[in-house]
Amino acid sequence: MQGFMRHASELDKYKEKYKAPPSVAPPPPSPSFSSYSGMACQTSGVTPSFSRAQPAPTPAQTTGSPVSGFRRTPTSKPTATKAKAESSDVDSLLACLEEGVVDNATPPSMLPGEISQALKKLEEVHTAGFITDEQYQERKQQLESLVPLKTAPIPKSGNWVVNRRSRSAMKKRQVRVFLSSTFLDMQGERDELLKNVFPKIKEQCAKRGIFFSEVDLRWGITAEQSESGDVLSICLNEIDKCRPFFISLIGDRYGWVPDTIKPDILQKYPFISQLGTPRSVTEMEILYGALNDVESASRALFYMRNNPNISETGDNPEKMRDLKHRIRISGLPLKFYNQPGDLAKHVLKDLSDSIANEFPEDQDPDPLDAQNSAHSAYAETKKRNYLWNSEVYESLCDKLRTSESGGILVVGPAGIGKASFLSNWRERFSHEQGNEIVVSHYIGCTNDRALNTVVVLHIMQTIKREFEIVDEVPADPKEMLREFPRWLTFVPQSCRLIVILDGAHRLENRESALEMRWIPEEIPPQVKFIISMNSSSEPHIFLNNRGWPTMYLQGFSEQQKTEYVQNYLSEYGKSFTLSQMQRITRCQQTDSPLFLRALLEELRLFGVYEQLDSKIDWYLGARTPEELFKKIILRLENDYTTQFVQDTLCSIYCSRMGLSEKEIMGVTGATQMQLSQLLMAVSEYVSSKSGLLCFFHEYMSQAVQSYYLESKPYLVNDYRQKLVAYFSSGPGNADKGRKADELPWLLSQTNPEQLPEALTDLEVFLQLYTQTRRYELKHYWLMVHETTVGECMRRAVDNYNAQPAQVGKMLNKVARFLREMLDYATAKALLRRAISVNVSAHGEYHESVGKAYYLLAEVFWNATELKAAEPFALKALEIREKVLGPNHLNVAMSLCGLGEIFVDSNPARAQSYLERALKIRLLHFGPNHPLIARILQDLSVIADSQGDPERAVQLCTRACQIREKTLGPMHPHLATSLESLAATYKLKGEPEKAEPLLKRAININNKIHGPVHPSMESCLRWLALVAQDLGRAAEYTRYLRDADLVKEKLAAMNITVGERVDE
């Protein structure tokens, strides 16, 4: 960030300052706007690069985005009578820039990484001969003597270097703990763990992005369930799902011993047959979960209650003593306790340590790691039972090699296996190619909303990491989409980025996302998109018009179906007769891989072989996948209670992101055993995404809607109201993150008038007011009425009961949000209070106080009250200099903000602040960094206003050189510098130097932003005035006409010309 955050839409003063030049004469009728694109293309060959040894760029040498520095307007000519600027540090600083050295001033504290980077830079400068040995040694000693900061300074932005980093696959960040114990004698212990220990563990995990849940199957086992013989199978299956986490509570009881065990269970778990005498379910849990393989039971924990007297009630005391002995000698962690409270202390510490060892804190994933892990996990589910087709694989590879277009379409009807194909294609392609960077994004497979901005964020974050882009990914969704084409140009031509986007038809159609205009028309040749979608969907129609090559996936042939059926059933030791096989493979509906797999799974589970033929006919009566899934739902209702199946499936359907097992039990009233039985039965149709249960395929969702809700639409609201009640209840139910995920959305669908109550829950506010979700928070407030936000949030803060330091921090956050919502009055009031609270908590000189003063100055600046902003900005600078030292990056930020305040009223003072900021950033970033260029360009505007065009040219030229070197030749910020330099030449009376600079800026803007963009209008108006100075009347008229046409198109898009975009 240069100085204060801009909100140009409400800053009339700065709209005027940065707006494009007004029309000088009414243009004649426009024959065709597209004629202008030809001029941009004609200049596209002019792309030489700058180097340090080169002089100022000539007109043929120059490329970027709308504004990233003070923007000139053609009407703001320098006053010839103004005195030339007094000599300052700019000359010496520029000399330092050329040499790569600054004076010996050193930040009093830096991050450890910054110190090592500074030492490396220093060594490079010394090796190049720019400083003497004495200077090198003195500077090195200063850097080595620094005390590393414990907290990071402001994130950097700008330079990037190609340096790919390998990352190992991240394990699934989910902890499921199986709790094994007998029932009757462990009620107090289980209550203590469920009510007091596991909620604390869950909160700890949530802070680190780990999903935690416990499985306690002892609760709710009925006599009917015991008699059915399914209890043991469910218990052992849950142990597998929970590995490696297993907790065993050992008391006096040996536990229930089943009379018989089903043959299929004995086949699946052969260790049971080897036990000889019958054993209790509890012992078999302990054996299967830990004792059978001690080395693999890395996270098993055992707790024995101190009681030397084994019960003599006939509960197998001999077997109980033997089991305890085997646990003691196993070497697995074992602790003894007297009371449930003692047990709670042990489990809290041991389980916390166990989770920390399984997921070390220094290996916590960043959001991109978590995103990639979720998509990889989904891809793995799609690789099962895949029928490999080399011809289809090679077809996509050939299109990738030969196509000159920016993308390839993979098209087919729903259920044809597009995701399976792409998952398997990527695995083999990555293995064979190796040097390609492949980003896979399966829309709808994670808890994120199916928004195009989520896709773009994933791609931009990948580019940022892989090529070490220091620019920050924009937080605002609209700015993110605007910047997306530019970020694709960051991929070096020596590399290739392949973006696999599966399920484009599932995108939410916000801002016409399904029209796919957010995918750039012009894509760099080193970037390729592979996008799958349903046939005849909106994305297919719109992208097909681009002429991209298309792969149409076909259904199975009869031979392929036979092979698939044989492979699938062989995993379970089953087979069909020839007649049964032919009836299945000759049906048209089984051409769909989804239909065939669901059919086989249902038939595999059917237990009466004599009735298999009629069951095949019954299922094949379904003509579509949706009809098949409705039959599956009917089967589930026959196997379980109808109401329970309906409540579970409808609750998942009516939620926003899916539901956890605990949430489903809370909403439906089901026991863990009931839910586990049902989830085992629907494991092929209901999948877990980061611990949340969702429908595996859209056909299942459609079947639930058609089967239950289509004829009774009021049920949707009823189920959502139940979910609202659950997520609105006390902290014992939903955790903070899940409450923020679901409750506001549910209210927006049912009772929008209740949204303020949910949004003013400050825990929900903190979850939503993040870089990636703040747009969602704003959207909810706009549904109510944004004018109420200030008063509601003020009352919420008034009722916030916390330590003063936390209150001050919260006040700062809420005030920043209100500033973004344009409620400046309330933001000012809260920030004045924040200053008072932070002073009482920390004293006057503390960064939290400095930050509050800075934010208050920023609010006044946004409201164009520059005079009122001045004292607060000065106070923020005073505090930060004293607390952080004179060379901290936050100090540089404050200095830049003061430069913004004084640029009009006192240019010399603004120049002084900007020069100080320049020196600080040189110390941190070195001479070649975009933030250095930003200050130089601002200084060039001041120099021009002070009647010193030569200095303005010098400063702006250097800004161009830095931006081209660090950002590349096609960056919009470089285009801004080119435009600024051209404006200086034009006002200086050298239009012949301005013309090629403007043409190159136009060429960049046209390729990055397209022909309709505020930067295009501004450059066109400058070019018209340059043509007028050169005596080219026809060109003057044409450029002016095109500029007016851009302005009209922007107005139709509700975009204000002259809005300023920050770096």
Side-chain angles (χ1 to χ4, degrees):
M1 188 196 308
Q2 165 67 5
F4 296 127
M5 292 290 291
R6 276 81 169 176
H7 292 274
S9 57
E10 78 276 6
L11 295 179
D12 293 336
K13 175 179 182 296
Y14 282 84
K15 278 186 184 179
E16 183 66 24
K17 181 177 181 63
Y18 302 130
K19 72 181 180 181
S23 304
V24 180
S30 172
S32 169
F33 177 69
S34 61
S35 62
Y36 179 67
S37 299
M39 189 280 287
C41 295
Q42 291 165 14
T43 63
S44 62
V46 186
T47 56
S49 300
F50 294 109
S51 69
R52 192 176 69 83
Q54 286 178 314
T58 63
Q61 281 179 320
T62 6
T63 339
S65 145
V67 200
S68 54
F70 299 141
R71 169 160 283 184
R72 296 168 171 75
T73 64
T75 56
S76 58
K77 297 182 179 181
T79 307
T81 58
K82 279 190 176 181
K84 191 170 183 176
E86 295 181 4
S87 62
S88 66
D89 283 342
V90 174
D91 296 320
S92 59
L93 287 171
L94 280 174
C96 292
L97 283 171
E98 290 301 317
E99 296 178 4
V101 186
V102 293
D103 61 34
N104 288 330
T106 306
S109 56
M110 301 169 71
L111 287 173
E114 291 178 329
I115 295 174
S116 61
Q117 290 175 7
L119 286 167
K120 184 177 180 181
K121 282 182 184 177
L122 181 66
E123 185 175 353
E124 292 173 353
V125 171
H126 177 240
T127 304
F130 287 118
I131 58 176
T132 66
D133 292 343
E134 291 78 10
Q135 290 173 318
Y136 169 70
Q137 290 298 332
E138 180 182 2
R139 177 74 170 145
K140 183 180 178 183
Q141 290 176 4
Q142 289 177 335
L143 287 169
E144 290 175 341
S145 67
L146 294 179
V147 178
L149 281 172
K150 294 183 179 179
T151 56
I154 302 171
K156 303 174 184 179
S157 65
N159 195 14
W160 62 275
V161 181
V162 178
N163 181 19
R164 291 195 59 195
R165 294 182 283 179
S166 62
R167 294 211 170 215
S168 58
M170 188 182 71
K171 70 174 72 175
K172 191 174 183 180
R173 294 181 69 80
Q174 180 173 338
V175 172
R176 298 181 89 246
V177 177
F178 188 89
L179 182 59
S180 173
S181 75
T182 51
F183 177 66
L184 296 178
D185 61 334
M186 286 291 170
Q187 183 68 49
E189 281 86 340
R190 282 201 320 278
D191 285 347
E192 188 72 27
L193 295 182
L194 293 172
K195 294 178 180 178
N196 298 321
V197 175
F198 291 150
K200 293 177 182 177
I201 297 287
K202 186 172 186 178
E203 186 173 1
Q204 293 172 7
C205 288
K207 292 178 180 177
R208 300 186 51 218
I210 301 170
F211 181 84
F212 176 88
S213 62
E214 73 282 345
V215 176
D216 177 16
L217 294 177
R218 294 283 72 73
W219 175 257
I221 298 180
T222 64
E224 291 79 7
Q225 290 168 336
S226 299
E227 292 170 3
S228 73
D230 291 329
V231 171
L232 179 60
S233 176
I234 293 170
C235 292
L236 299 184
N237 180 70
E238 288 293 345
I239 289 173
D240 281 329
K241 291 164 65 177
C242 292
R243 291 190 192 275
F245 293 95
F246 180 89
I247 293 178
S248 175
L249 307 181
I250 310 295
D252 302 332
R253 292 181 55 79
Y254 179 66
W256 170 61
V257 179
D259 295 329
T260 59
I261 299 177
K262 290 182 176 180
D264 60 330
I265 298 178
L266 294 175
Q267 181 180 0
K268 185 175 181 181
Y269 304 102
F271 83 93
I272 301 175
S273 301
Q274 300 168 8
L275 294 176
T277 59
R279 306 298 174 96
S280 70
V281 171
T282 301
E283 179 173 354
M284 286 187 279
E285 288 175 352
I286 293 172
L287 291 172
Y288 190 65
L291 295 187
N292 282 352
D293 188 357
V294 172
E295 292 184 2
S296 299
S298 58
R299 307 298 176 205
L301 301 171
F302 287 87
Y303 301 92
M304 283 190 191
R305 187 167 57 203
N306 281 318
N307 189 345
N309 299 315
I310 300 297
S311 173
E312 300 295 339
T313 61
D315 189 36
N316 292 303
E318 185 176 339
K319 287 186 177 180
M320 191 64 193
R321 290 191 187 97
D322 178 65
L323 177 60
K324 286 187 175 184
H325 174 69
R326 279 180 286 147
I327 293 171
R328 287 190 184 99
I329 66 174
S330 69
L332 292 171
L334 170 63
K335 289 185 178 179
F336 295 86
Y337 69 94
N338 294 316
Q339 299 297 327
D342 302 328
L343 170 71
K345 294 176 183 178
H346 288 318
V347 174
L348 180 60
K349 181 182 185 304
D350 297 343
L351 186 54
S352 296
D353 292 344
S354 186
I355 293 171
N357 290 330
E358 185 74 12
F359 301 98
E361 290 193 16
D362 59 354
Q363 297 177 18
D364 278 359
D366 60 19
L368 181 57
D369 283 328
Q371 180 90 300
N372 287 336
S373 177
H375 288 283
S376 296
Y378 177 80
E380 286 300 317
T381 66
K382 292 295 184 178
K383 294 175 185 176
R384 284 183 54 206
N385 305 114
Y386 180 71
L387 194 62
W388 185 256
N389 189 324
S390 298
E391 184 179 339
V392 177
Y393 170 80
E394 290 297 338
S395 175
L396 180 54
C397 291
D398 287 342
K399 286 179 169 57
L400 200 61
R401 283 191 294 266
T402 60
S403 173
E404 296 182 359
S405 63
I408 300 166
L409 306 183
V410 177
V411 178
I416 204 66
K418 297 181 287 294
S420 294
F421 165 65
L422 290 175
S423 300
N424 286 276
W425 180 89
R426 176 191 172 158
E427 182 177 51
R428 180 166 172 178
F429 179 82
S430 298
H431 177 72
E432 292 180 351
Q433 302 298 320
N435 59 339
E436 310 284 354
I437 301 169
V438 184
V439 183
S440 293
H441 192 102
Y442 301 88
I443 295 173
C445 87
T446 69
N447 295 336
D448 294 316
R449 294 183 65 183
L451 299 172
N452 58 347
T453 48
V454 173
V455 179
V456 170
L457 178 63
H458 188 187
I459 298 170
M460 293 172 77
Q461 286 177 334
T462 301
I463 293 173
K464 177 178 173 64
R465 171 187 290 175
E466 293 291 344
F467 307 114
E468 296 195 350
I469 311 298
V470 191
D471 273 8
E472 293 302 322
V473 176
D476 180 73
K478 290 184 179 179
E479 185 182 356
M480 189 188 302
L481 294 176
R482 284 198 301 265
E483 290 285 286
F484 184 43
R486 175 174 73 85
W487 275 67
L488 295 180
T489 67
F490 287 170
V491 179
Q493 295 184 0
S494 58
C495 301
R496 184 157 70 155
L497 174 70
I498 297 174
V499 179
I500 297 175
L501 177 57
D502 173 68
H505 57 279
R506 298 192 191 100
L507 285 168
E508 292 184 26
N509 199 24
R510 292 183 58 184
E511 306 292 335
S512 303
L514 289 174
E515 296 180 10
M516 306 302 286
R517 287 197 295 264
W518 53 276
I519 300 288
E521 290 278 354
E522 292 195 25
I523 297 172
Q526 63 271 29
V527 179
K528 290 288 184 183
F529 284 83
I530 301 175
I531 306 178
S532 77
M533 64 212 70
N534 285 349
S535 308
S536 303
S537 60
E538 287 187 70
H540 180 206
I541 295 169
F542 284 100
L543 287 176
N544 195 49
N545 292 333
R546 297 193 184 187
W548 287 6
T550 303
M551 278 190 63
Y552 290 95
L553 296 186
Q554 305 296 324
F556 283 150
S557 66
E558 186 172 340
Q559 179 181 349
Q560 289 173 324
K561 285 189 274 188
T562 300
E563 182 180 354
Y564 185 89
V565 171
Q566 290 172 340
N567 292 342
Y568 190 92
L569 293 181
S570 66
E571 290 187 13
Y572 306 97
K574 297 179 181 293
S575 62
F576 288 138
T577 65
L578 178 61
S579 172
Q580 291 167 341
M581 177 73 80
Q582 288 177 342
R583 278 155 56 202
I584 291 172
T585 57
R586 291 177 180 177
C587 271
Q588 183 177 356
Q589 55 265 47
T590 58
D591 291 355
S592 163
L594 175 68
F595 189 104
L596 182 57
R597 177 169 175 169
L599 171 66
L600 294 176
E601 180 64 16
E602 286 297 298
L603 296 176
R604 179 185 73 80
L605 296 173
F606 187 65
V608 186
Y609 182 77
E610 293 75 15
Q611 300 176 16
L612 185 58
D613 286 314
S614 60
K615 184 61 67 174
I616 290 173
D617 292 338
W618 185 72
Y619 278 119
L620 289 178
R623 311 310 300 174
T624 65
E626 182 182 331
E627 290 181 13
L628 177 62
F629 280 115
K630 288 165 72 173
K631 286 179 176 287
I632 292 172
I633 292 174
L634 179 58
R635 190 265 300 173
L636 291 171
E637 289 184 338
N638 291 331
D639 291 348
Y640 308 94
T641 61
T642 299
Q643 192 63 48
F644 172 49
V645 173
Q646 175 179 325
D647 289 346
T648 300
L649 297 181
C650 288
S651 295
I652 293 173
Y653 176 89
C654 292
S655 68
R656 178 188 180 187
M657 295 180 173
L659 298 172
S660 69
E661 292 182 31
K662 179 182 177 181
E663 290 164 355
I664 292 175
M665 290 187 287
V667 173
T668 65
T671 66
Q672 178 74 69
M673 177 61 75
Q674 288 175 316
L675 184 59
S676 294
Q677 284 182 300
L678 179 59
L679 293 181
M680 283 179 63
V682 298
S683 59
E684 291 292 319
Y685 319 121
V686 175
S687 60
S688 175
K689 299 188 303 188
S690 301
L692 300 183
L693 298 170
C694 311
F695 298 128
F696 192 77
H697 196 278
E698 59 203 70
Y699 276 130
M700 184 64 176
S701 179
Q702 293 170 6
V704 171
Q705 193 277 334
S706 175
Y707 190 84
Y708 291 117
L709 306 173
E710 190 171 65
S711 61
K712 301 177 181 178
Y714 61 87
L715 286 178
V716 175
N717 190 68
D718 289 350
Y719 279 107
R720 284 180 176 160
Q721 291 289 4
K722 291 180 181 179
L723 291 169
V724 166
Y726 175 84
F727 286 105
S728 299
S729 56
N733 285 336
D735 62 44
K736 303 167 189 175
R738 288 291 295 137
K739 184 175 182 179
D741 290 339
E742 294 287 340
L743 184 57
W745 181 83
L746 289 165
L747 289 173
S748 72
Q749 304 298 309
T750 55
N751 300 301
E753 66 278 2
Q754 295 180 13
L755 268 171
E757 182 178 353
L759 299 177
T760 51
D761 180 332
L762 293 179
E763 294 292 352
V764 172
F765 168 77
L766 291 176
Q767 293 288 329
L768 293 177
Y769 190 54
T770 62
Q771 180 182 18
T772 56
R773 300 189 70 180
R774 62 179 63 191
Y775 70 91
E776 186 182 335
L777 177 62
K778 295 177 185 178
H779 173 72
Y780 288 138
W781 275 111
L782 291 172
M783 292 183 67
V784 184
H785 199 290
E786 68 274 20
T787 57
T788 67
V789 62
E791 180 60 25
C792 291
M793 291 305 297
R794 185 193 61 75
R795 285 199 300 267
V797 177
D798 288 345
N799 296 325
Y800 184 53
N801 186 20
Q803 295 295 322
Q806 292 301 314
V807 173
K809 192 174 181 179
M810 183 66 73
L811 285 166
N812 280 347
K813 277 187 175 291
V814 173
R816 287 190 67 180
F817 172 65
L818 294 179
R819 176 183 61 80
E820 294 175 16
M821 295 297 289
L822 310 185
D823 186 348
Y824 297 138
T826 309
K828 291 174 189 176
L830 292 183
L831 285 168
R832 292 180 189 276
R833 182 179 164 194
I835 292 171
S836 175
V837 171
N838 282 315
V839 168
S840 67
H842 305 289
E844 182 178 2
Y845 289 95
H846 190 274
E847 169 56 12
S848 63
V849 181
K851 182 177 182 179
Y853 273 112
Y854 178 83
L855 291 173
L856 185 54
E858 190 175 38
V859 173
F860 277 107
W861 192 92
N862 290 149
T864 68
E865 301 175 51
L866 302 188
K867 192 66 178 174
E870 179 183 334
F872 301 111
L874 289 169
K875 187 63 177 178
L877 177 62
E878 176 194 343
I879 293 171
R880 284 176 161 174
E881 284 182 319
K882 184 168 183 177
V883 173
L884 303 174
N887 295 305
H888 195 276
L889 284 171
N890 282 10
V891 173
M893 181 190 294
S894 288
L895 289 167
C896 289
L898 283 163
E900 304 281 8
I901 290 173
F902 289 105
V903 65
D904 288 326
S905 62
N906 193 336
R909 190 172 179 182
Q911 177 179 323
S912 174
Y913 287 127
L914 290 171
E915 288 172 2
R916 286 180 59 194
L918 179 61
K919 292 183 70 174
I920 295 171
R921 286 181 173 172
L922 281 169
L923 288 167
H924 285 270
F925 301 129
N928 294 308
H929 192 282
L931 287 179
I932 302 298
R934 175 64 183 275
I935 296 178
L936 292 177
Q937 183 167 317
D938 288 351
L939 287 169
S940 75
V941 176
I942 293 175
D944 207 7
S945 70
Q946 293 175 327
D948 192 350
E950 295 297 335
R951 177 181 291 277
V953 167
Q954 182 188 22
L955 292 164
C956 198
T957 296
R958 181 57 184 156
C960 288
Q961 291 172 335
I962 295 173
R963 280 178 164 165
E964 179 152 25
K965 181 177 180 179
T966 58
L967 302 177
M970 292 299 293
H971 196 288
H973 290 166
L974 175 58
T976 300
S977 291
L978 294 173
E979 181 186 352
S980 184
L981 182 58
T984 302
Y985 277 127
K986 194 273 177 197
L987 298 175
K988 189 182 173 189
E990 300 180 54
E992 69 283 355
K993 292 183 179 180
E995 182 180 25
L997 297 172
L998 288 168
K999 287 185 176 180
R1000 189 176 177 203
I1002 286 173
N1003 186 42
I1004 297 169
N1005 287 326
N1006 188 46
K1007 286 189 174 181
I1008 298 298
H1009 301 298
V1012 181
H1013 192 271
S1015 298
M1016 291 291 285
E1017 190 208 359
S1018 177
C1019 287
L1020 284 168
R1021 294 203 187 281
W1022 275 115
L1023 199 54
L1025 296 182
V1026 167
Q1028 185 181 47
D1029 288 353
L1030 293 172
R1032 302 174 190 163
E1035 290 183 13
Y1036 162 76
T1037 302
R1038 177 161 64 92
Y1039 293 144
L1040 203 59
R1041 179 190 63 219
D1042 287 344
D1044 285 342
L1045 189 53
V1046 174
K1047 182 178 181 180
E1048 292 174 11
K1049 289 177 177 283
L1050 289 171
M1053 296 165 62
N1054 198 28
I1055 296 177
T1056 304
V1057 176
E1059 290 189 359
R1060 180 167 178 162
V1061 179
D1062 282 307
E1063 268 181 76

